[in-house]
Amino acid sequence: MASLSLKHIYKIYPNGYEAVKDFNLEVEDKEFIIFVGPSGCGKSTTLRMIAGLEDISEGEFMIDGKIMNDVEPKDRDIAMVFQNYALYPHMSVKDNMAFGLKLRKTPKHEINKKVKDASMILDLAQLLDRKPAALSGGQRQRVAMGRAIVREPKVFLMDEPLSNLDAKLRVQMRSEISALHQRLGATIIYVTHDQTEAMTLGTRIVVMKDGVVQQIASPRELYNNPCNLFVAGFIGSPQMNFINAECTAVGNDVYLEFDFHKVKLDAEKAKVLKDKGYVGKKVIMGVRPEAIFESEHDLKNHPDTQFQVKINGYELLGSEVLLYFNLLNEKPAEVQRQFSDDAYENAKKVQWSAKVSAATNARYGSTITVALDAEKIHVFDKDTEEAIVN
């Protein structure tokens, strides 16, 4: 397979629009790299530049140390799997898979062997004589992958290959693509806007926004240590809760105060906030839904971060439940003189979510006690949106 290097890559269209800005990435041999981000972030454009389907405006792209900027797509030894499969409707599965090899004038016996091997890997052996119209969406996608596999390219590029499939097929195909990567030992670059696909498939993930790389890291690192507010909100489902807060201190203790409540931070986070001069300043607190508890056992373990809430949303997900709530039901009497009605109304609009066990007794309209895991609180700078502590 191959290693790739992208250095200071830009894509600037004739009208001056910068679709990709200063993109830098080193891809090691056999890595599974995911480009993820919202629509229009530049991920597919970057993939197309790697494939040679888009010109690189500035920067240097190399495969195995060889500069590829001006090399024709057919000479880059790259195979691409498209979102819409791009199969020839008048050809059988076998002919679709073999088409690229025939263009290269590969010997017939070699074509047959490669098609047979790929069809066994992808469970297509019994479908080789069918036309694409007689196949399901998942089968068509496997044919498109088979066509790429038989070429034995240095790099596989996949542009949202599962977006046209239903939920069940997407899960199945994710598993098949992951197994395929392990079996082939291939270098794969995969584009998606689905962060679940990104988290389950990639060895490393490139998070993009507005043509700019936000963070490159392993799935676990992105989840636990997002570098900024955007990454924290994009990675994780449902997304992280964000709350405007003020950093305060009493002696050596540091607190985050929000919505007439406050949470004491652990010593490590407290030291970082103090050392960086955030005491007395506004920040953004982040808490993932799974770091909010309501079971009796968990409440006992988090006595200092408990709040009473009223549930205004309930979604059963099988083994888990998503609860939605606001922290404030009634304006606390002890703070009536300190805060205006507007401040109270604004606080009530902040919607929180928690992911808890399906065994919970909470239901829509219930008033329950929840607790935060203070060790899993994230804090972001309110102006720059960069992470201060994770």
Side-chain angles (χ1 to χ4, degrees):
M1 294 301 165
S3 60
L4 288 79
S5 175
L6 295 96
K7 297 180 179 178
H8 306 294
I9 299 293
Y10 285 80
K11 178 59 183 179
I12 306 170
Y13 288 101
N15 64 1
Y17 175 69
E18 291 186 321
V20 178
K21 309 167 189 175
D22 199 20
F23 186 100
N24 293 276
L25 177 66
E26 299 292 327
V27 181
E28 296 180 8
D29 186 27
K30 300 181 182 180
E31 268 201 291
F32 197 135
I33 298 292
I34 305 283
F35 293 170
V36 69
S39 297
C41 71
K43 55 190 185 295
S44 289
T45 302
T46 305
L47 194 77
R48 290 173 65 82
M49 284 192 285
I50 294 171
L53 302 177
E54 292 272 3
D55 292 331
I56 297 173
S57 302
E58 294 179 27
E60 188 176 77
F61 167 50
M62 293 186 287
I63 297 179
D64 286 339
K66 180 183 176 182
I67 296 177
M68 307 298 288
N69 289 46
D70 298 321
V71 175
E72 290 293 319
K74 64 183 177 63
D75 299 323
R76 295 191 182 196
D77 202 6
I78 285 172
M80 190 160 180
V81 179
F82 295 91
Q83 178 180 348
N84 61 357
Y85 320 134
L87 302 178
Y88 295 104
H90 63 287
M91 292 184 182
S92 67
V93 167
K94 180 180 179 180
D95 289 339
N96 265 287
M97 291 173 66
F99 186 71
L101 297 178
K102 288 179 180 178
L103 288 179
R104 293 182 172 189
K105 302 191 184 321
T106 304
K108 188 173 182 180
H109 71 277
E110 189 176 333
I111 292 176
N112 290 337
K113 183 180 185 304
K114 288 185 175 182
V115 169
K116 181 181 177 181
D117 291 346
S119 67
M120 295 298 292
I121 290 172
L122 295 166
D123 194 23
L124 292 171
Q126 73 280 17
L127 304 175
L128 289 177
D129 295 325
R130 291 193 189 180
K131 301 284 180 66
L135 304 178
S136 69
Q139 289 168 338
R140 291 180 195 180
Q141 194 55 274
R142 288 206 295 271
V143 175
M145 290 179 187
R147 183 174 54 193
I149 290 171
V150 297
R151 290 182 50 198
E152 298 179 354
K154 287 184 176 180
V155 183
F156 288 89
L157 306 181
M158 300 187 181
D159 190 5
E160 303 202 35
L162 309 185
S163 61
N164 289 337
L165 306 181
D166 62 40
K168 183 179 179 181
L169 267 178
R170 279 203 302 273
V171 173
Q172 179 186 334
M173 289 300 297
R174 278 207 308 265
S175 176
E176 291 183 11
I177 291 172
S178 181
L180 192 65
H181 174 245
Q182 297 298 326
R183 191 179 296 134
L184 299 177
T187 303
I188 298 177
I189 301 179
Y190 185 107
V191 163
T192 182
H193 63 271
D194 184 332
Q195 57 93 19
T196 302
E197 279 182 29
M199 294 291 284
T200 54
L201 285 174
T203 52
R204 280 194 300 157
I205 300 174
V206 180
V207 184
M208 297 182 69
K209 177 190 177 188
D210 299 332
V212 178
V213 173
Q214 303 294 305
Q215 187 171 0
I216 302 173
S218 68
R220 185 179 295 276
E221 177 70 13
L222 280 180
Y223 185 82
N224 291 329
N225 299 298
C227 69
N228 60 34
L229 204 65
F230 174 79
V231 176
F234 196 84
I235 300 296
S237 180
Q239 79 163 31
M240 185 182 290
N241 299 290
F242 296 117
I243 303 95
N244 290 320
E246 183 176 357
C247 183
T248 61
V250 178
N252 292 324
D253 296 331
V254 174
Y255 298 84
L256 293 181
E257 297 191 15
F258 54 94
D259 295 357
F260 314 111
H261 298 288
K262 67 180 181 180
V263 171
K264 181 181 175 181
L265 296 177
D266 59 67
E268 185 178 348
K269 289 184 173 65
K271 184 177 187 304
V272 172
L273 288 167
K274 270 189 168 183
D275 291 348
K276 292 187 175 181
Y278 279 95
V279 173
K281 293 184 177 180
K282 302 286 187 181
V283 295
I284 297 174
M285 181 179 79
V287 183
R288 293 205 179 275
E290 46 271 42
I292 301 176
F293 313 115
E294 54 78 49
S295 71
E296 186 175 341
H297 174 265
D298 288 320
L299 292 177
K300 286 180 180 178
N301 291 333
H302 300 88
D304 298 325
T305 60
Q306 296 185 10
F307 314 101
Q308 194 173 65
V309 304
K310 186 171 183 178
I311 305 302
N312 54 36
Y314 175 98
E315 294 179 0
L316 178 63
L317 303 177
S319 62
E320 297 174 314
V321 164
L322 288 182
L323 300 176
Y324 299 94
F325 55 86
N326 305 105
L327 281 190
L328 296 173
N329 303 322
E330 296 180 3
K331 190 173 180 182
E334 65 271 19
V335 298
Q336 282 185 4
R337 295 180 182 177
Q338 300 176 42
F339 297 94
S340 67
D341 288 338
D342 286 344
Y344 169 62
E345 289 301 323
N346 287 334
K348 280 210 309 183
K349 292 176 184 176
V350 178
Q351 178 92 323
W352 292 58
S353 63
K355 185 184 286 187
V356 301
S357 167
T360 180
N361 292 321
R363 294 294 185 273
Y364 182 87
S366 301
T367 297
I368 65 170
T369 300
V370 299
L372 313 183
D373 186 343
E375 292 184 1
K376 295 183 178 179
I377 286 175
H378 301 251
V379 187
F380 303 90
D381 187 287
K382 192 167 177 61
D383 296 322
T384 65
E385 298 188 349
E386 297 294 315
I388 305 168
V389 289
N390 288 310

